[in-house]
Amino acid sequence: MSLPERDTRQSIVDTAERFFRDIGYQKTTVADIAKSLRMSPANVYRFFDSKKSINEAVLARFKGELEESLSLIIAEQRSAGSRLREMLLTAHRINQARFADQHRMQEMVCAAMEESWDAILGHIERFDALLGRVIAEGIANGEFRALDPVAATQCIRTAMLRFQHPLLMAQCERIPGPTAEEMIDFIMAALEQPKAEN
C-alpha cells in the first residue's frame, strides 16, 4: 500500500472515530464520513468494503494501542509480578479513559462484538498471549505458584472483565464490588508463592 493510500485510510478511520464519538456508530453513515473528507462514498468503499470494516479498523487501532502498551511493560527488566500488576492496571486505565462515560463508543464496541466477533477474539488471543508470557515467566522463576499458565491467564482475564469491558465498566459502577486495584491485589495474592513461615 502506497503512502497516500495509507494516509487516506488513516483519515477515514480518524473521521469515522470522530463521528462514532459525536453521534454514535448506528447513526454514522459512510456518506457522512465521505462528505466530511470531501470524498464520494464510492471512494471510501475503495479503501473499506463496508461500514463494518471501518469499525473493525477503529477497533483494531484501539486494541493495537493497548497491546503495544502491554508489550512495552513486558520488555522491562523487573519481576514478573510487578510487570503483571502494571499490565492489568494499564489495561484498566486505558479502557477507562477510552470508554468511561462514552456511551457512543460503548455502542461501537458492542456493534463490533455482534458484527465482527473474529476481531474481538483476535484481540482476546493476543491479550491472553501477553499475560500468559509474564505468568509463565513468574512460574518458571518460582515467583508464582506452580499453576497451569493458560488456566491462570483465563481466570485473570475473567476476573478483570468488569474493569475492561465497556458495558460492564458502566453497569458495574452501580454494583458493590472491589476497585480495580483491590481485584489486582487479590489476583496477585492468588498467584504468588506463599511466604515461608519462620
Side-chain angles (χ1 to χ4, degrees):
M1 185 186 297
S2 69
L3 193 58
E5 286 177 331
R6 193 175 303 123
D7 289 346
T8 302
R9 277 183 66 89
Q10 189 63 47
S11 295
I12 292 168
V13 172
D14 290 343
T15 303
E17 182 182 339
R18 193 179 74 246
F19 272 105
F20 295 167
R21 283 188 189 281
D22 292 347
I23 65 171
Y25 173 73
Q26 300 298 345
K27 291 182 181 175
T28 300
T29 66
V30 172
D32 292 330
I33 296 166
K35 183 178 178 184
S36 178
L37 291 168
R38 297 189 175 95
M39 297 168 67
S40 68
N43 203 12
V44 173
Y45 284 121
R46 282 183 49 228
F47 297 91
F48 295 95
D49 62 7
S50 64
K51 184 176 144 188
K52 171 186 163 187
S53 64
I54 296 172
N55 190 16
E56 286 177 358
V58 173
L59 190 70
R61 179 164 65 188
F62 282 178
K63 299 307 183 186
E65 290 167 0
L66 171 58
E67 291 160 16
E68 177 63 26
S69 296
L70 300 185
S71 295
L72 292 172
I73 296 168
I74 286 176
E76 295 175 8
Q77 296 297 312
R78 55 187 167 116
S79 72
S82 69
R83 284 179 289 151
L84 179 61
R85 180 183 292 276
E86 187 173 342
M87 288 169 73
L88 296 175
L89 268 176
T90 297
H92 166 61
R93 287 175 181 154
I94 287 174
N95 282 303
Q96 188 176 46
R98 188 166 284 144
F99 298 118
D101 302 321
Q102 292 279 339
H103 301 295
R104 293 188 175 114
M105 295 310 284
Q106 294 167 12
E107 173 190 289
M108 183 205 78
V109 174
C110 290
M113 292 181 81
E114 290 173 16
E115 300 173 3
S116 313
W117 186 236
D118 288 347
I120 298 292
L121 284 180
H123 167 66
I124 290 169
E125 286 173 12
R126 292 186 298 276
F127 182 79
D128 280 7
L130 292 166
L131 288 188
R133 199 168 123 198
V134 175
I135 292 165
E137 280 182 37
I139 293 167
N141 69 22
E143 196 177 331
F144 298 154
R145 295 186 298 112
L147 298 162
D148 174 356
V150 173
T153 299
Q154 292 171 349
C155 287
I156 291 168
R157 172 173 35 83
T158 302
M160 291 300 295
L161 203 56
R162 73 177 276 171
F163 304 105
Q164 296 181 6
H165 187 291
L167 278 183
L168 291 177
M169 287 167 66
Q171 291 170 350
C172 289
E173 280 182 359
R174 298 186 294 272
I175 301 170
T179 64
E181 290 81 1
E182 288 168 339
M183 180 59 82
I184 293 167
D185 285 344
F186 187 82
I187 288 167
M188 299 310 298
L191 286 175
E192 289 163 359
Q193 288 279 14
K195 300 271 192 296
E197 292 184 16
N198 293 332

